Amino acid sequence: MSAIRNWLGAHGVMLFGLLVLAYLCTPIVVVVLMSFNDPASRLGYDFDGFTLDNWTSICDPYQMCSSVGKSIQIGLMATGLATLLGSLMAFAMVRHHFRGRSTSNVLIFLPMASPEIVLGSSLLALFVNAGFAGQLGFWTIFIAHVMFCLSFVVITVKARLAGLDPRLEQAAADLYATEWQTFWRVTFPLVVPGIVAAALLSFSLSFDDFIITNLTSGQTVTFPMYVWGAAQRGVPMQVNVIGTIMFVLALSMVVGGSVLRRVREAPARG
Amino acid sequence: MSALSHVPGPTGGTPDVQATDPGTERRGITGYLLMLPGTVWLLLFFLVPLVTLVSSSLYDPSGSLATGYSMTGHVQNYADALSEYGSTFVRSFLYALTATIACLLLGFPLAYAIALKAGRWRNLMLVAVIAPFFTSFLLRTLSWKLLLGDDSWVVNALQALPLVPDDLRLLATPAAVITGLTYNFLPFMVLPLYASLERLDVRLVEAAADLYASPFTAFRLVTVPLAMPGIVAGTLLTFIPAAGDFINSELLGNPRTRMIGNDINDLFQASVLPTASALSVMLMVAIVALVAVYVRRSGTDELV
């Protein structure tokens, strides 16, 4: 009895932690499993049998693949602009002196602290008041996505910049590099991993956003909006194929990235 | 500093960004130029919309999209919205609070295990924590529809337990909505908790034990206070999105489990601009007020 108690004392936290991880990961298993589901009826959401049909007919459900394309297009464009604007802000905040720093901090922090429904509804109020109620669509989604991705880019790039050793730049300056040369040959290459991480984060935020997109989209259908619509009238199993592909791609990027980092850092450690 | 800066970035970079030492700071116009485009974007598409939202909430309720709205400073909108949707507000905050407490109870042991017990498995466990983000939020929530369905193995297993009624239902109940909220926002609790616990000096806990503190006392008086920044950041990051969410209550709940997000969204879709704006403003104000009081009471002012 006391052996069990000792074991629990030593490993109980880990055991509980693993159970919580199982709770976090079960829905992913369901998504993957459902991508092989052969549904008995359109309205049910149960596993009825195994089939590969969903994988061979991914684009059969009307409008689904075009909605994925739309999400990718918006995601890439919003990520591009948000990453550019956000990185510039991060450089300014870590490396430059300017007035109104704390106000800027609040302005960057607030969108992350606001519920999505408030962000979406205030943008919609603006568009309606500005007379754009009839023109909601691609560009209004783009504007919204750049807005909410921006803050996440700033904090991610800022963290990377603040973690840099300032002596590296001082060394470059000591060796007669101009400010411009120092930036492009020393600072920028060191910050690239932070910028890449920020871009990946903002693409995934944009691709997956529903609440804000739903309020600013008009007739434009992104993938999350497609899933939402489908949830009301019967979910085609192909959405789970898309979900599985997303999962595998993102997982391989994260794992690949960390392997790459380890390989690169290995020689430095000797 | 923002509460969010406690979340380790995907690069696992330094969690805390402090003001740089003045030696590396450059003066001149460049700083302003770098800040300009992003600041303009945030002003135009975050701050101006918020102001517009407040003014829209004071429009005359008789207007419509077709006829236009007139600004009459109709404060009555708030009273009307509150009397019609007040109970939904209370329900939303109750659900969000319950989900936040559940996240803390589940997330703390997990973060503790990853930070202090996982050893070489630490990175693998961290990837598992963020793995849910790799696939769609809506699809994951839909999976709970399957998992909590009336004939699912979860429900069947629970029904087999003693003291659980055989006609137990989970789907379309408040429990299902709270389960979904807890699930969806749990990583936002675990990551900041992990960032705090990872920096915890284990020797302090050992010192407490040496001074005859029981494990529980050491936990209460040493571990928890040191993890406080993570607890505050985590609860805020969980509570705020949970309070405004309507996806979980729509997909997993029933008409009696509607949250305020459902109503705001539906009213905007139906173009009932003044009432919808008033509700949205009230949600924002309530959250900002709660956050301010909470951050002050927990004594971690430096978070925001």
Side-chain angles (χ1 to χ4, degrees):
Chain A
M1 211 42 208
S2 75
I4 295 176
R5 189 175 300 164
N6 283 341
W7 188 88
L8 268 182
H11 301 287
V13 179
M14 191 43 119
L15 192 69
F16 187 81
L18 289 174
L19 286 176
V20 176
L21 271 188
Y23 170 62
L24 271 175
C25 292
T26 310
I28 304 173
V29 178
V30 173
V31 170
V32 176
L33 197 69
M34 291 301 267
S35 76
F36 296 104
N37 183 28
D38 191 6
S41 83
R42 263 176 67 81
L43 285 171
Y45 202 71
D46 290 304
F47 193 81
D48 297 314
F50 180 87
T51 179
L52 285 173
D53 288 354
N54 306 317
W55 283 84
T56 55
S57 63
I58 300 180
C59 284
D60 274 10
Y62 176 64
Q63 273 204 335
M64 192 189 76
C65 280
S66 65
S67 74
V68 175
K70 193 70 64 185
S71 280
I72 293 175
Q73 200 184 351
I74 292 171
L76 288 177
M77 289 174 58
T79 298
L81 189 60
T83 309
L84 177 68
L85 300 187
S87 302
L88 294 181
M89 288 175 102
F91 273 105
M93 301 194 83
V94 181
R95 289 296 150 87
H96 291 272
H97 175 87
F98 60 92
R99 274 191 221 176
R101 177 184 298 275
S102 50
T103 318
S104 309
N105 263 325
V106 172
L107 186 66
I108 290 163
F109 169 73
L110 268 180
M112 295 188 293
S114 312
E116 282 192 84
I117 185 84
V118 174
L119 295 178
S121 55
S122 44
L123 267 171
L124 180 60
L126 174 76
F127 293 142
V128 167
N129 278 292
F132 284 108
Q135 281 115 305
L136 294 180
F138 187 88
W139 292 106
T140 47
I141 303 177
F142 170 77
I143 287 172
H145 284 203
V146 173
M147 184 271 293
F148 71 72
C149 290
L150 198 51
S151 306
F152 288 95
V153 173
V154 177
I155 55 156
T156 311
V157 178
K158 236 170 95 175
R160 177 79 192 179
L161 259 174
L164 287 190
D165 188 344
R167 286 173 302 180
L168 292 172
E169 287 164 310
Q170 285 158 13
D174 287 347
L175 295 166
Y176 301 105
T178 61
E179 205 170 301
W180 194 243
Q181 285 171 321
T182 311
F183 177 78
W184 284 112
R185 302 234 181 131
V186 180
T187 318
F188 186 71
L190 287 169
V191 182
V192 164
I195 296 178
V196 171
L200 289 175
L201 179 65
S202 68
F203 183 81
S204 69
L205 288 172
S206 162
F207 191 88
D208 204 26
D209 180 72
F210 172 72
I211 294 182
I212 297 174
T213 310
N214 185 41
L215 286 166
T216 51
S217 63
Q219 302 299 314
T220 308
V221 178
T222 63
F223 181 64
M225 298 205 40
Y226 175 85
V227 176
W228 182 259
Q232 328 282 330
R233 50 172 201 268
V235 185
M237 288 305 134
Q238 282 89 341
V239 296
N240 293 297
V241 176
I242 302 288
T244 308
I245 294 174
M246 274 164 69
F247 178 73
V248 171
L249 278 181
L251 187 68
S252 41
M253 266 190 222
V254 167
V255 173
S258 77
V259 168
L260 196 71
R261 205 160 51 234
R262 211 165 281 181
V263 171
R264 273 209 201 133
E265 282 171 9
R269 277 191 208 135
Chain B
M1 280 292 98
S2 78
L4 274 157
S5 61
H6 285 272
V7 183
T11 46
T14 19
D16 252 322
V17 188
Q18 293 304 333
T20 23
D21 76 282
T24 58
E25 262 190 25
R26 286 167 210 128
R27 290 173 175 275
I29 196 172
T30 324
Y32 294 97
L33 287 179
L34 293 175
M35 288 299 289
L36 186 69
T39 309
V40 168
W41 200 279
L42 287 178
L43 287 177
L44 275 182
F45 301 120
F46 170 69
L47 207 61
V48 173
L50 271 186
V51 175
T52 320
L53 185 74
V54 175
S55 70
S56 302
S57 70
L58 299 171
Y59 284 172
D60 194 279
S62 62
S64 74
L65 263 191
T67 59
Y69 297 93
S70 50
M71 178 68 187
T72 53
H74 203 86
V75 187
Q76 186 66 27
N77 284 338
Y78 281 88
D80 292 346
L82 209 56
S83 72
E84 192 168 351
Y85 299 102
S87 58
T88 319
F89 253 113
V90 174
R91 187 188 303 126
S92 303
F93 282 111
L94 274 181
Y95 285 1
L97 186 68
T98 315
T100 306
I101 293 170
C103 280
L104 187 60
L105 294 179
L106 296 175
F108 198 99
L110 175 58
Y112 188 90
I114 298 175
L116 300 167
K117 304 269 179 187
R120 51 197 287 255
W121 301 106
R122 180 188 275 195
N123 281 342
L124 189 69
M125 288 179 80
L126 275 177
V127 170
V129 171
I130 56 166
F133 294 142
F134 297 170
T135 189
S136 159
F137 185 103
L138 285 169
L139 287 180
R140 283 182 280 125
T141 311
L142 273 177
S143 331
W144 283 106
K145 209 168 171 170
L146 174 91
L147 287 167
L148 302 175
D150 289 338
D151 211 20
S152 69
W153 58 267
V154 176
V155 173
N156 285 331
L158 284 176
Q159 283 170 344
L161 293 175
L163 298 176
V164 176
D166 286 343
D167 58 350
L168 171 89
R169 275 203 83 193
L170 284 180
L171 193 62
T173 64
V177 180
I178 290 165
T179 305
L181 289 172
T182 307
Y183 163 77
N184 276 315
F185 301 114
L186 185 54
F188 296 111
M189 177 68 87
V190 176
L191 293 176
L193 280 177
Y194 165 77
S196 292
L197 287 171
E198 194 228 339
R199 281 177 291 177
L200 180 92
D201 189 342
V202 189
R203 287 172 303 179
L204 294 174
V205 185
E206 287 164 6
D210 288 346
L211 296 167
Y212 302 103
S214 68
F216 178 72
T217 311
F219 177 77
R220 191 169 57 89
L221 294 178
V222 180
T223 312
V224 170
L226 287 172
M228 211 53 197
I231 295 174
V232 174
T235 43
L236 291 180
L237 287 176
T238 314
F239 181 82
I240 295 172
D245 181 81
F246 62 85
I247 297 173
N248 287 284
S249 63
E250 177 82 25
L251 294 180
L252 305 173
N254 65 43
R256 284 187 311 281
T257 63
R258 285 172 69 84
M259 293 175 68
I260 198 66
N262 296 76
D263 287 321
I264 297 177
N265 187 56
D266 290 358
L267 287 168
F268 269 110
Q269 303 291 356
S271 300
V272 191
L273 196 60
T275 315
S277 303
L279 283 176
S280 203
V281 170
M282 282 194 280
L283 176 64
M284 184 75 188
V285 169
I287 282 181
V288 168
L290 277 177
V291 168
V293 169
Y294 176 70
V295 169
R296 182 158 310 164
R297 297 237 1 216
S298 51
T300 38
D301 290 285
E302 83 275 15
L303 270 167
V304 180

